[in-house]
């Protein structure tokens, strides 16, 4: 599912807590880049962009060790990027930049 980024503030302002998985933020060489949006039970929460570890060659957006921030009113966007086995560095930085945009 690819949502216009203009809808992100609307999603963040929702009073219903939960997770919206698999939001496509870009498509590169036929590969869909996605993020999961974790929302606290708060109106217009600040957003933390979480980039998983793995030395650019491992990991995924599914492992989010900072979910405790939801209890403090923060929304979390956990982003995926092309791993170094899929694209040469600095492609990963460009992917993360696209997620933030």
């Amino acid at each position: 599912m690819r949502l216009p980024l203009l809808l992100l503030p609307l999603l963040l302002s929702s009073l219903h807590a939960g997770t919206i998985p698999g939001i496509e933020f870009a498509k590169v060489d036929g590969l869909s880049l996605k993020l999961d949006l974790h929302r606290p039970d708060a109106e217009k929460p600040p957003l933390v962009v979480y980039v998983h570890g793995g030395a650019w060659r491992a990991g995924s957006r599914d492992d989010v060790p900072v979910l405790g921030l939801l209890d403090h009113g923060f929304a979390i966007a956990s982003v995926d990027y092309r791993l170094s086995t899929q694209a040469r560095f600095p492609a990963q930085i460009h992917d993360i930049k696209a997620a933030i945009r």
Side-chain angles (χ1 to χ4, degrees):
M1 156 182 37
R2 184 172 183 152
L3 296 175
L5 292 180
L6 294 174
L7 292 180
L8 192 56
L10 178 63
L11 293 172
L12 290 175
S13 67
S14 172
L15 292 175
H16 303 288
T19 298
I20 302 173
I23 299 171
E24 183 179 83
F25 63 86
K27 190 170 260 192
V28 181
D29 297 329
L31 179 65
S32 177
L33 299 177
K34 297 179 181 176
L35 63 83
D36 294 340
L37 181 62
H38 305 275
R39 300 172 301 144
D41 194 16
E43 190 172 339
K44 296 184 181 180
L47 176 67
V48 171
V49 176
Y50 176 74
V51 178
H52 66 81
W56 304 129
R57 60 182 165 77
S60 86
R61 71 180 191 271
D62 298 330
D63 182 26
V64 188
V66 297
L67 287 178
L69 292 173
L70 292 170
D71 296 334
H72 298 282
F74 289 90
I76 302 163
S78 178
V79 303
D80 262 343
Y81 50 83
R82 289 173 290 165
L83 301 175
S84 60
T85 57
Q86 300 168 305
R88 293 184 65 166
F89 184 84
Q92 297 76 21
I93 302 299
H94 297 295
D95 295 348
I96 294 165
K97 182 179 176 182
I100 292 170
R101 271 194 309 246

